[in-house]
Amino acid sequence: MVGIGGAAESTDMVLNIGPQHPSTHGVLRLRLVLDGERITRAEPVIGYMHRGAEKLFEARDYRQIIVLANRHDWLSAFSNELGVVLAVERMLGMEVPERAVWTRTLLAELNRVLNHLMFLGSYPLELGGITPVFYAFRERETLQNVMEEVSGGRIHYMFNRVGGLKEDLPAGWAARARGAVAAVRSRLGDFDDLVLGNEIFRGRTRGVGVLAPEAVHAYGVSGPIARASGVDFDLRRDEPYLAYGELQDVLKVVTRQEGDCLARFECLLEQTHNALDLADACLDRLAELPPGPINQRLPKVLKAPEGHTYAWTENPLGINGYYLVSKGEKTPYRLKLRSASYNNIQALTELLPGTLVADMVAILGSLFFVVGDIDK
């Protein structure tokens, strides 16, 4: 949709990209003001997928809210569940069995790889390269098979519980998971050759959409996008949760200084390699642990004590925060989500002005967002 004023020669053009557009990852609308082919002003218009999840939390008990939190970033369902149960467990002062801690860490890293593979495949597709998405989905299928075996779900796992996990791992699952991780790692080099070795891809992304560290801090940008601009911050290292405190020798925080589209893709790809290393380290530790419980026994009616707490996690797309307020009832009085995509997408107002329309898709795709994570 294009709107032009009465005197086209002296009036800026207003161009709406979306909310239904193949380059917008879903129902996101960009309102661009153009001077010829150059963008002078950009405004992301959000809310087309708003489902009121935060309000629905107030009418569900602490077991039921997991299914709502599971869905806002549909590529990171396990990590979404994790943040909610960590907040509730912190409110209850509950200790989770060690076996559950390591299993959660393992599944969170496998979920991170699944999330990143989607963007590693879809981003070149948006720039005209169709082949990488087939490679990405081949690797996703390999990992989704083991995630489905352990949880019963392919996307929405519903495997976390307050106090641990739904059940223990199936017999022989660890060996199959290790084989899947090794298979994916052996083929990830295809992306280095196919995408990063492609001069057209590099030409479309190098020096395009440079995000300054000052803008990262101003907009609250986090995750691989922030680290691609030289902001060296990762909750898994800087404020460890789950078993990350014991994985510091394996965990590698990937950063770049360029802050452009290429740097963001490189961070995502290198972080995928590291997530596979972390998964292997978790499998090694689980093999050493003696048999034990995977969860805590809970009362039939679970009530959190009156008070409030804040839990945050390093989700695949960035920092997710969960602010929980309880009045001592079986449902939360308030549960506020701070999602990574919401903050990250606001940086478009800084990134797009001054660039060409032709570079808009490259910049938009490099922010690696999920629309449900913006609108909640």
Side-chain angles (χ1 to χ4, degrees):
M1 183 174 76
V2 179
I4 304 178
E9 296 83 4
S10 60
T11 306
D12 289 336
M13 177 187 293
V14 178
L15 178 66
N16 282 294
I17 304 293
Q20 305 291 345
H21 192 276
S23 72
T24 56
H25 288 244
V27 281
L28 171 74
R29 174 181 162 213
L30 289 180
R31 185 180 182 276
L32 307 178
V33 179
L34 307 179
D35 179 10
E37 283 290 309
R38 199 164 293 278
I39 299 169
T40 59
R41 196 161 66 250
E43 177 192 1
V45 183
I46 64 174
Y48 291 92
M49 276 194 65
H50 181 61
R51 292 153 289 164
E54 292 176 334
K55 195 66 181 172
L56 291 172
F57 286 142
E58 299 168 16
R60 269 77 174 166
D61 68 31
Y62 288 106
R63 292 180 176 91
Q64 295 169 327
I65 61 174
I66 299 172
V67 76
L68 291 171
N70 178 290
R71 283 160 164 72
H72 58 90
D73 173 3
W74 45 77
L75 296 177
S76 312
F78 187 87
S79 301
N80 299 340
E81 302 169 13
L82 190 59
V84 169
V85 296
L86 287 175
V88 178
E89 288 163 1
R90 183 174 295 179
M91 189 76 95
L92 292 166
M94 180 181 289
E95 287 289 330
V96 177
E98 187 180 13
R99 190 171 186 79
V101 171
W102 281 96
T103 306
R104 280 177 171 180
T105 311
L106 164 63
L107 296 177
E109 291 305 313
L110 293 179
N111 194 198
R112 191 181 307 277
V113 177
L114 285 170
N115 174 289
H116 290 355
L117 282 171
M118 177 64 81
F119 292 109
L120 291 172
S122 67
Y123 185 48
L125 182 64
E126 290 162 5
L127 298 179
I130 191 171
T131 309
V133 74
F134 297 114
Y135 285 81
F137 269 80
R138 178 187 65 182
E139 312 315 331
R140 277 176 57 84
E141 284 298 316
T142 302
L143 290 177
Q144 276 186 313
N145 287 339
V146 294
M147 293 293 281
E148 182 180 10
E149 182 184 355
V150 75
S151 69
R154 285 176 59 80
I155 297 179
H156 301 300
Y157 305 109
M158 276 305 297
F159 198 57
N160 276 289
R161 295 292 186 273
V162 177
L165 294 166
K166 177 187 173 187
E167 56 198 9
D168 210 342
L169 303 172
W173 181 87
R176 291 188 288 277
R178 195 182 292 276
V181 168
V184 172
R185 181 188 286 108
S186 69
R187 298 191 294 248
L188 261 188
D190 294 341
F191 276 97
D192 293 315
D193 302 331
L194 196 63
V195 183
L196 291 180
N198 186 301
E199 62 184 52
I200 299 174
F201 178 83
R202 298 184 78 88
R204 289 292 306 276
T205 56
R206 184 192 282 124
V208 175
V210 177
L211 183 63
E214 295 78 18
V216 168
H217 295 302
Y219 287 93
V221 175
S222 59
I225 302 169
R227 293 192 284 274
S229 294
V231 178
D232 188 5
F233 181 72
D234 190 314
L235 281 176
R236 296 174 298 168
R237 179 198 63 194
D238 301 322
E239 199 170 307
Y241 58 99
L242 294 182
Y244 290 114
E246 299 180 48
L247 291 169
Q248 297 300 305
D249 55 334
V250 182
L251 176 63
K252 179 184 177 184
V253 180
V254 183
T255 60
R256 294 288 187 277
Q257 300 302 319
E258 296 83 359
D260 57 9
C261 295
L262 181 60
R264 291 190 276 274
F265 186 87
E266 288 176 342
C267 276
L268 207 70
L269 180 55
E270 199 170 332
Q271 192 168 282
T272 306
H273 283 278
N274 186 240
L276 293 171
D277 295 339
L278 288 167
D280 266 341
C282 291
L283 285 165
D284 291 341
R285 183 57 189 269
L286 281 170
E288 299 169 358
L289 290 178
I294 200 77
N295 50 35
Q296 296 275 25
R297 293 185 65 86
L298 299 176
K300 189 172 182 180
V301 177
L302 181 63
K303 295 183 179 181
E306 189 169 347
H308 60 92
T309 190
Y310 184 75
W312 55 348
T313 59
E314 186 70 41
N315 265 39
L317 297 179
I319 293 172
N320 271 29
Y322 304 83
Y323 179 58
L324 174 63
V325 181
S326 171
K327 289 294 182 74
E329 302 296 329
K330 65 178 182 179
T331 61
Y333 176 75
R334 185 82 172 90
L335 180 54
K336 176 75 176 78
L337 297 182
R338 185 267 188 216
S339 61
S341 296
Y342 181 86
N343 285 70
N344 291 355
I345 205 68
Q346 308 307 319
L348 284 170
T349 58
E350 189 90 14
L351 277 175
L352 289 178
T355 64
L356 297 172
V357 174
D359 291 328
M360 182 272 299
V361 175
I363 296 169
L364 182 66
S366 74
L367 292 188
F368 311 127
F369 61 89
V370 170
V371 177
D373 202 37
I374 301 170
D375 291 344
K376 301 188 283 295

